[in-house]
Amino acid sequence: MHLAYPAVLSSLLFCTGLYGVLARRNAILVLMSVELMLNAVNLNLVAFDVWLSKAARDTLHSGQALTLFTIAIAAAEIGIGLAIVLAVYRGRGTSDIDKLRDTAESPDDGAPDGSAPDGSAPDAGAEAVTDEKAEATA
């Protein structure tokens, strides 16, 4: 078998996965695209290992061993990634990546004693803002 066949298939799989990472908005589909890219790399590793083992008789099959490590790492990555996606989905109600940009808390929300970050009372200007909003809607 020629090396060109698995190399072309691997490049097509990698390009498909890259398109999925760049074009998709759902976090689970992005994780699946990353897995597709990793499988393309695994196919390349095995194909080159078989191709190089024909040249030397005493080989260690290091490409196949590296593929096993890559599969194990990919399984762990998917487990952790799905756990994160499920936790975010439970907290926010969506797994759309564009809607999850603002995951950090704003500085106003993190005041521990209920006061504003500048040290003023929390409702010092709230009445004025409410009055302005009421006048603007009237």
Side-chain angles (χ1 to χ4, degrees):
M1 181 169 77
H2 296 287
L3 182 63
Y5 299 131
V8 168
L9 179 64
S10 175
S11 64
L12 288 174
L13 283 174
F14 191 85
C15 290
T16 304
L18 185 64
Y19 173 76
V21 167
L22 296 176
R24 299 293 179 188
R25 295 184 180 188
N26 191 350
I28 294 176
L29 291 177
V30 170
L31 286 173
M32 288 175 60
S33 298
V34 169
E35 285 295 317
L36 194 61
M37 291 167 63
L38 285 172
N39 286 331
V41 170
N42 288 339
L43 179 62
N44 246 349
L45 284 170
V46 171
F48 276 98
D49 182 50
V50 169
W51 184 64
L52 290 174
S53 69
K54 289 181 181 179
R57 296 203 173 204
D58 296 330
T59 59
L60 296 175
H61 297 292
S62 59
Q64 293 178 15
L66 191 58
T67 298
L68 290 175
F69 285 117
T70 307
I71 290 171
I73 290 171
E77 176 253 334
I78 279 297
I80 292 171
L82 283 176
I84 291 170
V85 168
L86 285 175
V88 167
Y89 182 77
R90 286 182 184 167
R92 300 231 178 203
T94 184
S95 64
D96 191 3
I97 294 175
D98 290 337
K99 293 180 182 176
L100 299 176
R101 287 184 198 209
D102 302 326
T103 57
E105 293 182 20
S106 64
D108 300 340
D109 297 340
D113 58 352
S115 64
D118 59 357
S120 62
D123 294 325
E127 294 177 18
V129 172
T130 309
D131 292 338
E132 290 174 8
K133 287 182 182 177
E135 290 175 9
T137 58

